[in-house]
Amino acid sequence: MAHSTVTPAPVTRPAVAALPIRTVLPWAVFFGLLMLVLLYFVGAEQGVVSLISGRGVHEWVHDGRHLLGFPCH
């Protein structure tokens, strides 16, 4: 009976591109501030701390308020 040697194939890992924090951080701050502004308009505008007079903003974000659980009336 002949004895054969089996060598396993080398394991290759997918290449992962490393992103430096200096390239990601400005975009993360920008989108974070954008989300805070959006959250303000959906959750707090037309309340006690209203920046814009009238009901225009409230009507534009009315359904979003209910979807996110903010009471408005």
Side-chain angles (χ1 to χ4, degrees), residues 40-41 43-58 65:
Y40 167 77
F41 276 110
E45 182 64 27
Q46 303 299 341
V48 177
V49 290
S50 179
L51 293 178
I52 300 172
S53 63
R55 295 187 46 87
V57 174
H58 175 83
R65 295 184 110 160

Side-chain angles (χ1 to χ4, degrees):
M1 187 176 251
H3 185 261
S4 64
T5 304
V6 177
T7 56
V11 177
T12 58
R13 295 183 180 179
V16 177
L19 290 174
I21 192 72
R22 287 183 171 206
T23 60
V24 176
L25 188 61
W27 288 103
V29 169
F30 171 71
F31 283 113
L33 290 174
L34 189 64
M35 290 299 111
L36 284 175
V37 169
L38 181 66
L39 183 65
Y40 167 77
F41 276 110
V42 171
E45 182 64 27
Q46 303 299 341
V48 177
V49 290
S50 179
L51 293 178
I52 300 172
S53 63
R55 295 187 46 87
V57 174
H58 175 83
E59 294 303 323
W60 276 97
V61 298
H62 184 263
D63 293 336
R65 295 184 110 160
H66 291 297
L67 181 68
L68 294 173
F70 288 103
C72 63
H73 49 89

